[in-house]
Amino acid sequence: MKIRKRICSLLVLVLIIVSMGIYSVWHNELSSIASIHKLVDAKENNQSGPVYLMDVSGGYYFDEFLENGGASNDDELIQFVVDHITKGIIPISIASPSIGCSSFTSVDEDGNRYFARNYDLSTTSSMIVRTNPKDGRYASFSSVDLKFLGIKDGAEIDGLMKKFIALAAPYAPLDGINEVGVSCGIYMSYQGTKDNVVATDQQTDKPDLTSTTMLRMILDYASSVDEAIALVKKYDLHDSAGTSFHYMVADSTGASAILEWVNGTDETDVDGSKRTLHVYRNDADSDVGEKEGSEDFQYITNFIVTPNYYTTDEDKGGLDRYQMIQNRIDPDGENPKGMMEENDAMHLLETVGRRKWDADNDKSDKNHITVWSALYNLTKKSVTWVSNEEYNDSSSVFTFDFGYTK
């Protein structure tokens, strides 16, 4: 009996030691996994996938990622995430969906600055990611398409394996806002030939970042558009998922900028290693167009705004949505500041949402769903986030601020 008691006591002690060891290694990851919960169910009637929320515990090793020189391709990024976040146990992948999106900035009569964004794709699972890394980095909200992490076709996060994969979500934001009112979005630019989109793949002696990790850097470290641009200039960009992107960034002062990496014209821009950064600020973008130069707000869809890049407008992806945003906000040149009330800004996102847009304009392509619409209030540091164009369904509309960091 005494021997049995001693064995039981020893087993309990071993179990405690093992549990303490697991907790010491995994406590942030386990806390993050425990926070994952579903906000919106998938719905067959509108082909929408589920929406999840995750509160990320700790700093997700991003400072170490930058200190190590970042990543020059998806494989290097995956290896870092697997080694540090899933501890070498859970494999992940990065997919390459073709996305089409819209964004614009605006200001209301009370002086609130907005950054609006539609994310267009097909049926997919999405996640709102809240981070609070501290130690000189800013808390943020960001939106993540889990298809980029290999969770495909609107699948549920219904098992431990998928929850571990979701831990990589901080490395794959597509838009977001930080606690000091800097917001950023990423948009597919379709550079290269029609049959072969060419990713930006700069090759200088600078450290390296992929598309989504560059956006993460902006959210974590930039307190203004100027700081965001200065940070971006320090890195070589290597576009994620084998495709090409450009960015728009804005802050609470009303400043914004479009960031593009180009090499010549659309016909010659087939070597991603030779692309260079072009920046178009909202108060200095007359090269983009006469109307753009006269306006204080900015807008972006899926074509390069660098002047003389295209031979014909037919090659500009999303030009129709671009013109709709421009004409809705400032149709006659009498609204150069982009004055628009919050409800009107959301209604404009609804107008260019893909389900409605395709129905109204007799269009159809593989990006036939707006997965989410996010209206970031850069002044109040908050976001109104709408799932799958269900603007009038209160169960699909969420408002977040940074109260969770207190």
Side-chain angles (χ1 to χ4, degrees):
M1 183 63 69
K2 289 181 180 180
I3 293 174
R4 287 179 180 175
K5 287 182 179 180
R6 288 176 181 174
I7 293 173
C8 289
S9 298
L10 182 59
L11 289 174
V12 170
L13 179 60
V14 170
L15 182 60
I16 292 172
I17 292 173
V18 171
S19 298
M20 290 175 63
I22 291 173
Y23 180 79
S24 68
V25 174
W26 291 89
H27 63 282
N28 283 326
E29 290 77 15
L30 293 174
S31 295
S32 300
I33 286 173
S35 77
I36 296 174
H37 64 279
K38 186 161 57 174
L39 297 177
V40 181
D41 289 322
K43 298 176 183 176
E44 290 187 10
N45 64 324
N46 70 346
Q47 297 179 288
S48 63
V51 180
Y52 293 86
L53 175 67
M54 180 172 68
D55 287 298
V56 179
S57 180
Y60 41 92
Y61 306 97
F62 194 71
D63 50 356
E64 184 175 344
F65 175 74
L66 294 182
E67 289 169 3
N68 290 344
S72 62
N73 54 60
D74 289 338
D75 289 340
E76 290 180 5
L77 173 59
I78 289 169
Q79 191 61 54
F80 181 88
V81 171
V82 169
D83 288 346
H84 290 75
I85 294 180
T86 69
K87 315 303 180 188
I89 297 175
I90 310 298
I92 65 169
S93 61
I94 294 179
S96 55
S98 297
I99 60 178
C101 310
S102 308
S103 269
F104 59 87
T105 61
S106 62
V107 59
D108 67 20
E109 290 185 354
D110 294 326
N112 292 300
R113 301 284 181 175
Y114 295 96
F115 179 94
R117 195 266 169 75
N118 274 351
Y119 175 68
D120 304 333
L121 189 67
S122 54
T123 302
T124 190
S125 306
S126 52
M127 175 173 277
I128 300 167
V129 176
R130 298 195 293 200
T131 65
N132 187 21
K134 302 180 181 178
D135 295 329
R137 291 157 60 193
Y138 298 117
S140 70
F141 290 94
S142 59
S143 309
V144 176
D145 179 355
L146 295 175
K147 186 176 289 186
F148 270 82
L149 302 180
I151 299 175
K152 300 179 180 180
D153 302 324
E156 303 280 342
I157 305 180
D158 51 7
L160 190 58
M161 177 71 76
K162 289 179 182 177
K163 290 182 179 180
F164 270 104
I165 291 172
L167 290 173
Y171 285 79
L174 298 175
D175 56 70
I177 183 175
N178 68 22
E179 62 183 308
V180 292
V182 173
S183 195
C184 188
I186 185 173
Y187 316 85
M188 199 163 178
S189 55
Y190 298 100
Q191 293 162 256
T193 64
K194 291 182 179 180
D195 299 325
N196 183 31
V197 175
V198 177
T200 299
D201 186 28
Q202 292 182 297
Q203 301 290 334
T204 73
D205 57 358
K206 297 177 182 179
D208 305 296
L209 286 175
T210 62
S211 302
T212 58
T213 56
M214 185 168 282
L215 198 155
R216 170 52 61 194
M217 178 185 65
I218 290 171
L219 293 177
D220 278 19
Y221 291 97
S223 64
S224 66
V225 167
D226 285 344
E227 281 195 9
I229 294 170
L231 284 167
V232 167
K233 287 180 176 180
K234 294 180 180 180
Y235 290 85
D236 278 349
L237 174 64
H238 306 272
D239 277 329
S240 304
T243 189
S244 60
F245 298 97
H246 55 172
Y247 297 68
M248 188 160 76
V249 58
D251 66 31
S252 60
T253 70
S256 67
I258 293 172
L259 282 61
E260 298 184 336
W261 288 257
V262 301
N263 172 33
T265 68
D266 189 38
E267 293 180 352
T268 63
D269 196 4
V270 294
D271 185 349
S273 69
K274 294 182 180 179
R275 290 179 185 161
T276 58
L277 173 64
H278 293 235
V279 177
Y280 302 95
R281 298 173 184 266
N282 64 311
D283 59 355
D285 58 353
S286 58
D287 286 349
V288 174
E290 181 178 354
K291 192 169 178 60
E292 287 87 346
S294 67
E295 296 167 336
D296 291 338
F297 65 100
Q298 282 189 309
Y299 31 96
I300 190 171
T301 54
N302 301 112
F303 64 90
I304 293 296
V305 303
T306 295
N308 303 315
Y309 186 78
Y310 298 99
T311 303
T312 172
D313 283 351
E314 293 180 358
D315 295 324
K316 296 181 177 180
L319 177 62
D320 49 1
R321 287 176 284 118
Y322 183 91
Q323 292 172 333
M324 170 61 76
I325 293 169
Q326 183 183 62
N327 294 331
R328 179 64 65 87
I329 299 177
D330 187 27
D332 52 12
E334 299 297 318
N335 187 26
K337 294 188 179 300
M339 300 292 295
M340 177 174 277
E341 294 304 298
E342 182 176 11
N343 289 340
D344 294 327
M346 186 63 79
H347 182 64
L348 180 51
L349 287 176
E350 181 178 3
T351 299
V352 294
R354 290 309 300 263
R355 293 175 177 87
K356 178 175 175 55
W357 185 258
D358 289 355
D360 290 349
N361 295 276
D362 192 29
K363 288 179 172 288
S364 180
D365 62 29
K366 55 190 173 185
N367 300 318
H368 63 282
I369 289 173
T370 293
V371 181
W372 66 73
S373 300
L375 185 59
Y376 295 102
N377 188 320
L378 310 183
T379 305
K380 294 182 178 179
K381 285 76 174 178
S382 62
V383 57
T384 299
W385 201 97
V386 182
S387 167
N388 287 288
E389 300 179 61
E390 296 182 315
Y391 303 94
N392 299 313
D393 183 347
S394 60
S395 66
S396 295
V397 180
F398 305 90
T399 301
F400 301 99
D401 59 29
F402 286 92
Y404 73 93
T405 64
K406 296 179 174 60

